Coordinates of all heavy atoms in Angstrom, one line a residue:
S1 N 96.9 95.4 157.0 CA 96.0 95.1 155.9 C 95.2 93.9 156.2 O 95.5 93.1 157.0 CB 96.9 94.9 154.6 OG 96.2 94.1 153.7
D2 N 94.0 93.8 155.5 CA 93.1 92.7 155.7 C 93.6 91.4 155.0 O 93.2 90.4 155.3 CB 91.7 93.0 155.2 CG 91.0 94.1 156.0 OD1 91.4 94.2 157.2 OD2 90.2 94.8 155.5
L3 N 94.5 91.6 154.1 CA 95.0 90.5 153.3 C 95.6 89.4 154.1 O 95.2 88.2 154.1 CB 95.8 91.0 152.1 CG 96.2 90.0 151.0 CD1 95.0 89.4 150.4 CD2 97.1 90.7 150.0
P4 N 96.7 89.7 154.9 CA 97.3 88.7 155.7 C 96.4 88.0 156.7 O 96.5 86.8 156.9 CB 98.5 89.4 156.4 CG 98.7 90.7 155.7 CD 97.4 91.0 155.1
C5 N 95.5 88.8 157.3 CA 94.6 88.2 158.3 C 93.7 87.1 157.6 O 93.5 86.1 158.2 CB 93.7 89.3 158.9 SG 94.7 90.4 159.9
N6 N 93.1 87.5 156.5 CA 92.3 86.6 155.8 C 93.0 85.3 155.2 O 92.5 84.2 155.3 CB 91.5 87.3 154.6 CG 90.3 88.0 155.2 OD1 89.3 87.5 155.6 ND2 90.4 89.4 155.1
E7 N 94.2 85.6 154.8 CA 95.0 84.4 154.3 C 95.4 83.5 155.4 O 95.3 82.2 155.3 CB 96.3 84.9 153.6 CG 96.1 85.6 152.3 CD 97.3 86.3 151.7 OE1 98.2 86.6 152.5 OE2 97.4 86.4 150.5
D8 N 95.7 84.0 156.6 CA 95.9 83.2 157.8 C 94.7 82.4 158.2 O 94.7 81.2 158.5 CB 96.4 84.1 159.0 CG 97.8 84.6 158.8 OD1 98.5 84.1 157.8 OD2 98.2 85.5 159.5
A9 N 93.5 83.1 158.2 CA 92.3 82.5 158.6 C 91.9 81.4 157.6 O 91.5 80.3 158.1 CB 91.2 83.5 158.6
L10 N 92.2 81.6 156.4 CA 91.9 80.6 155.4 C 92.7 79.3 155.6 O 92.2 78.2 155.6 CB 92.1 81.1 153.9 CG 91.8 80.2 152.8 CD1 90.3 79.8 152.8 CD2 92.1 80.9 151.5
A11 N 94.0 79.5 155.9 CA 94.9 78.4 156.2 C 94.4 77.6 157.4 O 94.4 76.4 157.4 CB 96.3 78.8 156.4
I12 N 93.9 78.3 158.4 CA 93.4 77.6 159.6 C 92.2 76.8 159.3 O 92.0 75.7 159.7 CB 93.2 78.7 160.8 CG1 94.6 79.2 161.2 CG2 92.4 78.0 161.9 CD1 94.5 80.5 162.1
Y13 N 91.2 77.5 158.6 CA 90.0 76.8 158.3 C 90.2 75.5 157.5 O 89.6 74.5 157.7 CB 89.0 77.7 157.6 CG 88.3 78.7 158.6 CD1 88.3 80.1 158.3 CD2 87.7 78.3 159.7 CE1 87.7 81.0 159.1 CE2 87.1 79.2 160.6 CZ 87.1 80.6 160.3 OH 86.5 81.5 161.1
R14 N 91.1 75.7 156.5 CA 91.4 74.5 155.7 C 92.1 73.4 156.5 O 91.8 72.2 156.3 CB 92.3 74.9 154.5 CG 91.5 75.7 153.4 CD 92.4 76.1 152.3 NE 91.5 76.5 151.2 CZ 92.0 77.3 150.2 NH1 93.3 77.6 150.1 NH2 91.1 77.7 149.2
R15 N 93.0 73.8 157.4 CA 93.7 72.8 158.2 C 92.7 72.1 159.1 O 92.9 70.9 159.4 CB 94.8 73.5 159.0 CG 95.7 72.5 159.7 CD 97.0 73.2 160.3 NE 96.7 74.2 161.2 CZ 97.0 75.5 161.0 NH1 97.6 75.9 159.8 NH2 96.7 76.5 161.9
T16 N 91.7 72.8 159.6 CA 90.8 72.2 160.6 C 89.6 71.6 159.9 O 88.7 71.0 160.6 CB 90.4 73.2 161.6 OG1 89.7 74.3 161.0 CG2 91.5 73.8 162.4
G17 N 89.5 71.7 158.6 CA 88.3 71.2 157.9 C 87.0 71.9 158.1 O 86.0 71.3 157.8
D18 N 87.1 73.1 158.5 CA 85.9 73.9 158.7 C 85.4 74.5 157.3 O 85.9 75.6 156.9 CB 86.1 75.0 159.7 CG 84.9 75.9 160.0 OD1 84.0 75.9 159.2 OD2 84.9 76.5 161.1
R19 N 84.5 73.9 156.6 CA 84.1 74.3 155.3 C 83.3 75.6 155.3 O 83.5 76.4 154.4 CB 83.3 73.2 154.6 CG 84.1 71.9 154.4 CD 85.2 72.1 153.4 NE 84.6 72.0 152.0 CZ 85.3 72.3 150.9 NH1 86.5 72.9 151.0 NH2 84.7 72.2 149.7
H20 N 82.5 75.8 156.4 CA 81.8 77.0 156.5 C 82.7 78.2 156.6 O 82.6 79.2 155.9 CB 80.8 76.9 157.7 CG 80.0 78.1 157.9 ND1 78.9 78.4 157.1 CD2 80.1 79.2 158.7 CE1 78.4 79.6 157.5 NE2 79.1 80.0 158.5
G21 N 83.7 78.1 157.5 CA 84.6 79.1 157.7 C 85.5 79.4 156.5 O 85.8 80.5 156.2
E22 N 85.8 78.3 155.8 CA 86.6 78.4 154.6 C 85.8 79.2 153.5 O 86.4 80.1 152.9 CB 87.0 77.0 154.0 CG 87.8 77.1 152.8 CD 88.2 75.7 152.3 OE1 87.8 74.7 152.9 OE2 88.8 75.6 151.2
G23 N 84.6 78.9 153.4 CA 83.7 79.6 152.4 C 83.6 81.1 152.7 O 83.8 81.9 151.8
W24 N 83.3 81.4 153.9 CA 83.2 82.8 154.3 C 84.5 83.6 154.2 O 84.6 84.7 153.8 CB 82.6 83.0 155.7 CG 81.1 82.8 155.6 CD1 80.4 81.7 155.9 CD2 80.2 83.7 155.1 NE1 79.1 81.9 155.6 CE2 78.9 83.1 155.1 CE3 80.3 85.0 154.6 CZ2 77.8 83.8 154.6 CZ3 79.1 85.6 154.1 CH2 77.9 85.0 154.2
T25 N 85.6 82.9 154.5 CA 86.9 83.6 154.4 C 87.3 83.8 153.0 O 87.8 84.8 152.6 CB 88.0 82.8 155.2 OG1 87.6 82.6 156.5 CG2 89.3 83.5 155.1
L26 N 86.9 82.8 152.1 CA 87.2 83.0 150.7 C 86.4 84.2 150.1 O 86.9 85.0 149.3 CB 86.9 81.7 149.9 CG 87.9 80.6 150.0 CD1 87.3 79.3 149.5 CD2 89.1 81.0 149.1
T27 N 85.2 84.4 150.6 CA 84.4 85.5 150.2 C 85.0 86.8 150.6 O 85.1 87.8 149.9 CB 82.9 85.4 150.7 OG1 82.3 84.2 150.1 CG2 82.1 86.6 150.3
N28 N 85.4 86.8 151.9 CA 86.1 88.0 152.4 C 87.4 88.3 151.7 O 87.7 89.5 151.4 CB 86.4 87.9 153.9 CG 85.1 87.9 154.7 OD1 84.1 88.4 154.3 ND2 85.2 87.3 155.9
L29 N 88.2 87.3 151.4 CA 89.4 87.4 150.7 C 89.2 88.0 149.3 O 89.9 88.8 148.8 CB 90.2 86.1 150.7 CG 91.6 86.1 150.2 CD1 92.5 87.1 151.0 CD2 92.2 84.7 150.4
G30 N 88.1 87.4 148.7 CA 87.8 88.0 147.3 C 87.5 89.4 147.4 O 87.9 90.2 146.5
A31 N 86.7 89.9 148.4 CA 86.4 91.3 148.5 C 87.7 92.1 148.7 O 87.8 93.2 148.2 CB 85.4 91.5 149.7
V32 N 88.6 91.6 149.5 CA 89.9 92.4 149.7 C 90.6 92.5 148.4 O 91.1 93.5 148.0 CB 90.8 91.7 150.8 CG1 92.1 92.3 150.8 CG2 90.1 91.7 152.1
Y33 N 90.7 91.3 147.7 CA 91.4 91.4 146.3 C 90.7 92.3 145.4 O 91.3 93.1 144.6 CB 91.4 90.0 145.7 CG 92.5 89.1 146.3 CD1 92.2 87.7 146.5 CD2 93.8 89.5 146.5 CE1 93.1 86.9 147.0 CE2 94.8 88.6 146.9 CZ 94.4 87.3 147.2 OH 95.4 86.5 147.7
Q34 N 89.4 92.3 145.4 CA 88.6 93.2 144.6 C 88.9 94.7 144.9 O 89.1 95.5 144.0 CB 87.1 93.0 144.7 CG 86.3 93.6 143.6 CD 84.9 93.0 143.6 OE1 84.7 91.8 144.0 NE2 83.9 93.7 143.1
K35 N 89.0 95.0 146.2 CA 89.3 96.4 146.6 C 90.7 96.8 146.1 O 91.0 98.0 145.8 CB 89.3 96.5 148.1 CG 87.9 97.0 148.6 CD 88.0 97.5 150.0 CE 87.8 96.5 151.1 NZ 87.7 97.0 152.4
L36 N 91.6 95.8 146.1 CA 93.0 96.1 145.6 C 93.1 96.1 144.1 O 94.2 96.3 143.6 CB 93.9 95.0 146.2 CG 94.1 95.0 147.7 CD1 94.9 93.8 148.2 CD2 94.8 96.3 148.2
G37 N 92.0 95.8 143.4 CA 92.1 95.8 142.0 C 92.6 94.5 141.4 O 92.9 94.4 140.2
R38 N 92.8 93.5 142.2 CA 93.3 92.2 141.8 C 92.1 91.3 141.5 O 91.7 90.3 142.2 CB 94.2 91.6 142.9 CG 95.4 92.4 143.1 CD 96.2 92.1 144.4 NE 96.6 90.8 144.5 CZ 97.4 90.3 145.5 NH1 97.8 91.2 146.5 NH2 97.8 89.1 145.5
L39 N 91.4 91.6 140.4 CA 90.1 91.1 140.0 C 90.2 89.6 139.7 O 89.3 88.8 140.1 CB 89.5 91.8 138.9 CG 89.2 93.3 139.2 CD1 88.7 94.0 138.0 CD2 88.2 93.4 140.3
E40 N 91.2 89.1 139.0 CA 91.3 87.7 138.7 C 91.4 86.9 140.0 O 90.8 85.8 140.1 CB 92.4 87.4 137.7 CG 92.0 88.0 136.3 CD 93.0 87.7 135.2 OE1 93.9 86.8 135.4 OE2 92.9 88.3 134.1
E41 N 92.2 87.3 140.9 CA 92.3 86.6 142.2 C 91.0 86.7 143.0 O 90.6 85.7 143.6 CB 93.4 87.2 143.0 CG 94.8 86.9 142.4 CD 95.9 87.8 143.0 OE1 96.0 89.0 142.7 OE2 96.7 87.2 143.8
A42 N 90.3 87.8 142.9 CA 89.0 87.9 143.6 C 88.0 86.9 143.0 O 87.3 86.2 143.7 CB 88.5 89.3 143.4
I43 N 88.0 86.8 141.6 CA 87.1 85.9 141.0 C 87.4 84.5 141.4 O 86.5 83.7 141.6 CB 87.1 86.1 139.4 CG1 86.5 87.5 139.1 CG2 86.5 85.0 138.7 CD1 86.7 88.0 137.7
G44 N 88.7 84.1 141.4 CA 89.1 82.8 141.9 C 88.6 82.5 143.3 O 88.0 81.4 143.5
C45 N 88.7 83.4 144.2 CA 88.2 83.2 145.5 C 86.7 83.0 145.6 O 86.2 82.1 146.2 CB 88.6 84.4 146.4 SG 90.3 84.4 146.9
Y46 N 86.0 83.9 144.8 CA 84.5 83.8 144.8 C 84.1 82.5 144.2 O 83.1 81.9 144.7 CB 83.9 84.9 144.0 CG 84.1 86.3 144.6 CD1 84.3 87.4 143.8 CD2 84.1 86.5 145.9 CE1 84.4 88.7 144.3 CE2 84.2 87.8 146.5 CZ 84.4 88.9 145.7 OH 84.5 90.1 146.2
Q47 N 84.8 82.0 143.1 CA 84.4 80.7 142.5 C 84.6 79.6 143.5 O 83.8 78.6 143.6 CB 85.2 80.5 141.2 CG 84.7 81.4 140.1 CD 85.5 81.3 138.9 OE1 86.7 81.0 138.9 NE2 85.0 81.6 137.7
D48 N 85.7 79.6 144.2 CA 86.0 78.5 145.2 C 84.9 78.6 146.4 O 84.4 77.6 146.8 CB 87.4 78.7 145.8 CG 88.5 78.3 144.8 OD1 88.2 77.8 143.8 OD2 89.6 78.7 145.1
A49 N 84.6 79.8 146.8 CA 83.6 80.0 147.9 C 82.2 79.5 147.4 O 81.5 78.8 148.1 CB 83.5 81.5 148.3
L50 N 81.9 79.8 146.2 CA 80.6 79.4 145.6 C 80.5 77.9 145.6 O 79.4 77.3 146.0 CB 80.5 79.9 144.2 CG 79.1 79.8 143.5 CD1 78.0 80.5 144.3 CD2 79.2 80.4 142.1
A51 N 81.5 77.2 145.2 CA 81.5 75.7 145.2 C 81.3 75.2 146.6 O 80.5 74.2 146.8 CB 82.8 75.2 144.7
I52 N 81.9 75.8 147.6 CA 81.7 75.4 149.0 C 80.3 75.6 149.5 O 79.6 74.8 150.1 CB 82.7 76.1 150.0 CG1 84.1 75.5 149.7 CG2 82.3 75.8 151.4 CD1 85.2 76.3 150.3
Y53 N 79.7 76.8 149.2 CA 78.4 77.1 149.6 C 77.4 76.1 148.9 O 76.4 75.7 149.6 CB 78.0 78.6 149.2 CG 78.8 79.6 149.9 CD1 79.2 80.7 149.2 CD2 79.1 79.5 151.3 CE1 80.0 81.7 149.9 CE2 79.8 80.5 151.9 CZ 80.2 81.6 151.2 OH 80.9 82.5 151.9
R54 N 77.6 75.8 147.7 CA 76.7 74.8 147.0 C 76.8 73.5 147.7 O 75.8 72.7 147.8 CB 77.0 74.8 145.5 CG 76.5 76.1 144.9 CD 76.7 76.2 143.4 NE 76.0 77.4 142.9 CZ 76.3 77.9 141.7 NH1 77.2 77.3 140.9 NH2 75.6 78.9 141.3
E55 N 78.0 73.1 148.0 CA 78.3 71.8 148.6 C 77.6 71.7 150.0 O 77.1 70.7 150.4 CB 79.8 71.6 148.8 CG 80.3 70.5 149.6 CD 81.8 70.5 149.9 OE1 82.5 70.9 149.0 OE2 82.1 70.3 151.1
T56 N 77.7 72.8 150.8 CA 77.1 72.8 152.1 C 75.7 73.3 152.2 O 75.1 73.3 153.3 CB 78.0 73.6 153.1 OG1 78.1 75.0 152.6 CG2 79.5 73.1 153.1
G57 N 75.1 73.7 151.1 CA 73.7 74.2 151.2 C 73.6 75.6 151.8 O 72.5 75.9 152.2
D58 N 74.6 76.4 151.8 CA 74.5 77.7 152.3 C 74.0 78.7 151.3 O 74.7 79.2 150.4 CB 75.9 78.2 152.8 CG 75.9 79.5 153.5 OD1 74.9 80.3 153.3 OD2 76.9 79.8 154.2
R59 N 72.7 78.9 151.2 CA 72.0 79.7 150.2 C 72.4 81.2 150.4 O 72.5 81.9 149.4 CB 70.5 79.5 150.2 CG 70.1 78.1 150.0 CD 70.4 77.6 148.6 NE 69.8 78.5 147.6 CZ 69.1 78.1 146.6 NH1 69.0 76.8 146.3 NH2 68.5 78.9 145.8
Y60 N 72.5 81.7 151.6 CA 72.8 83.1 151.8 C 74.2 83.3 151.3 O 74.5 84.3 150.5 CB 72.7 83.4 153.3 CG 73.1 84.9 153.5 CD1 72.2 85.9 153.3 CD2 74.4 85.2 154.0 CE1 72.6 87.2 153.5 CE2 74.7 86.5 154.2 CZ 73.8 87.5 154.0 OH 74.2 88.8 154.2
G61 N 75.2 82.5 151.6 CA 76.6 82.6 151.1 C 76.6 82.6 149.6 O 77.4 83.3 149.0
E62 N 75.9 81.6 149.0 CA 75.8 81.5 147.6 C 75.3 82.8 146.9 O 75.9 83.3 146.0 CB 74.9 80.3 147.2 CG 74.8 80.0 145.8 CD 73.9 78.8 145.4 OE1 73.5 78.1 146.3 OE2 73.7 78.6 144.2
N63 N 74.2 83.3 147.5 CA 73.7 84.6 146.9 C 74.6 85.7 147.0 O 74.9 86.4 146.0 CB 72.4 84.9 147.7 CG 71.7 86.2 147.2 OD1 71.5 86.3 146.0 ND2 71.4 87.1 148.1
L64 N 75.2 85.9 148.2 CA 76.2 87.0 148.3 C 77.4 86.9 147.4 O 77.8 87.8 146.8 CB 76.7 87.0 149.8 CG 77.8 88.0 150.1 CD1 77.2 89.4 150.1 CD2 78.3 87.8 151.5
T65 N 77.9 85.7 147.3 CA 79.0 85.4 146.4 C 78.7 85.6 145.0 O 79.6 86.1 144.2 CB 79.7 84.0 146.8 OG1 80.0 84.0 148.2 CG2 80.9 83.8 146.0
L66 N 77.5 85.2 144.5 CA 77.1 85.4 143.1 C 77.1 86.9 142.8 O 77.5 87.3 141.7 CB 75.8 84.7 142.9 CG 75.8 83.2 142.6 CD1 74.4 82.6 142.6 CD2 76.6 82.8 141.4
A67 N 76.6 87.7 143.7 CA 76.5 89.1 143.5 C 77.9 89.7 143.4 O 78.2 90.5 142.5 CB 75.8 89.8 144.7
N68 N 78.8 89.3 144.3 CA 80.2 89.8 144.3 C 80.9 89.3 143.0 O 81.7 90.1 142.4 CB 81.0 89.3 145.5 CG 80.6 89.9 146.8 OD1 79.9 91.0 146.8 ND2 81.0 89.4 147.9
L69 N 80.7 88.1 142.6 CA 81.3 87.5 141.4 C 80.8 88.3 140.2 O 81.6 88.7 139.3 CB 80.9 86.1 141.3 CG 81.5 85.2 140.2 CD1 83.1 85.2 140.3 CD2 81.0 83.8 140.3
G70 N 79.5 88.7 140.1 CA 79.0 89.5 139.0 C 79.7 90.9 139.0 O 80.1 91.3 137.9
L71 N 79.9 91.5 140.1 CA 80.5 92.8 140.2 C 82.0 92.7 139.7 O 82.5 93.6 139.0 CB 80.4 93.4 141.6 CG 79.0 93.8 142.0 CD1 79.0 94.2 143.5 CD2 78.5 95.0 141.2
A72 N 82.7 91.7 140.2 CA 84.1 91.5 139.8 C 84.2 91.3 138.3 O 85.1 91.9 137.6 CB 84.7 90.3 140.5
H73 N 83.3 90.5 137.7 CA 83.3 90.3 136.3 C 83.0 91.6 135.5 O 83.6 91.9 134.5 CB 82.4 89.2 135.8 CG 82.9 87.8 136.0 ND1 83.9 87.3 135.1 CD2 82.7 86.8 136.8 CE1 84.2 86.1 135.5 NE2 83.5 85.8 136.5
Q74 N 82.1 92.4 136.1 CA 81.7 93.6 135.4 C 82.9 94.6 135.4 O 83.2 95.2 134.4 CB 80.6 94.2 136.2 CG 80.0 95.5 135.6 CD 78.8 96.0 136.3 OE1 78.8 95.9 137.6 NE2 77.8 96.5 135.6
K75 N 83.7 94.6 136.5 CA 84.8 95.5 136.6 C 86.0 95.0 135.7 O 86.8 95.8 135.3 CB 85.3 95.6 138.0 CG 84.4 96.4 138.9 CD 84.9 96.6 140.3 CE 84.0 97.4 141.2 NZ 84.5 97.5 142.5
L76 N 86.0 93.7 135.5 CA 87.1 93.1 134.7 C 86.9 93.5 133.2 O 87.9 93.6 132.4 CB 87.1 91.6 134.8 CG 88.3 90.8 134.3 CD1 89.5 91.3 135.1 CD2 88.1 89.4 134.6
Q77 N 85.7 93.8 132.8 CA 85.4 94.1 131.4 C 86.1 95.4 130.9 O 86.2 96.4 131.5 CB 83.9 94.3 131.2 CG 83.1 93.2 131.5 CD 83.3 92.0 130.6 OE1 83.4 92.1 129.4 NE2 83.3 90.8 131.2

């Protein structure tokens, strides 16, 4: 499954202080949670990723994550 790989990657990025990698892995992890129907966990990942993208000025990541966040909220309704 993609879940353990992304969780491992997230731990490594956090340990090494790689904010860019952390943001992208949170977005990927959110997508995995969303596919599994774990929408609240997906939303949490997307919100954390969004904060990192805004902190680092990654406009592409911010855009992608806002779209994913909107879809997850829509499915949660």
Side-chain angles (χ1 to χ4, degrees):
S1 156
D2 292 333
L3 190 57
C5 293
N6 280 291
E7 289 172 334
D8 289 347
L10 183 59
I12 292 166
Y13 285 129
R14 284 181 170 162
R15 189 170 57 246
T16 60
D18 183 338
R19 297 293 278 163
H20 181 77
E22 182 180 355
W24 279 102
T25 303
L26 282 164
T27 297
N28 291 338
L29 191 54
V32 172
Y33 282 136
Q34 194 164 334
K35 269 200 266 189
L36 295 172
R38 295 165 61 174
L39 298 175
E40 291 185 11
E41 289 166 288
I43 289 168
C45 287
Y46 293 145
Q47 288 172 332
D48 290 347
L50 190 58
I52 291 170
Y53 295 139
R54 287 179 172 162
E55 169 193 318
T56 60
D58 184 341
R59 300 294 300 227
Y60 179 79
E62 182 179 355
N63 180 52
L64 176 68
T65 301
L66 282 170
N68 287 345
L69 189 56
L71 291 172
H73 276 290
Q74 186 178 34
K75 289 181 181 182
L76 194 60
Q77 302 292 324

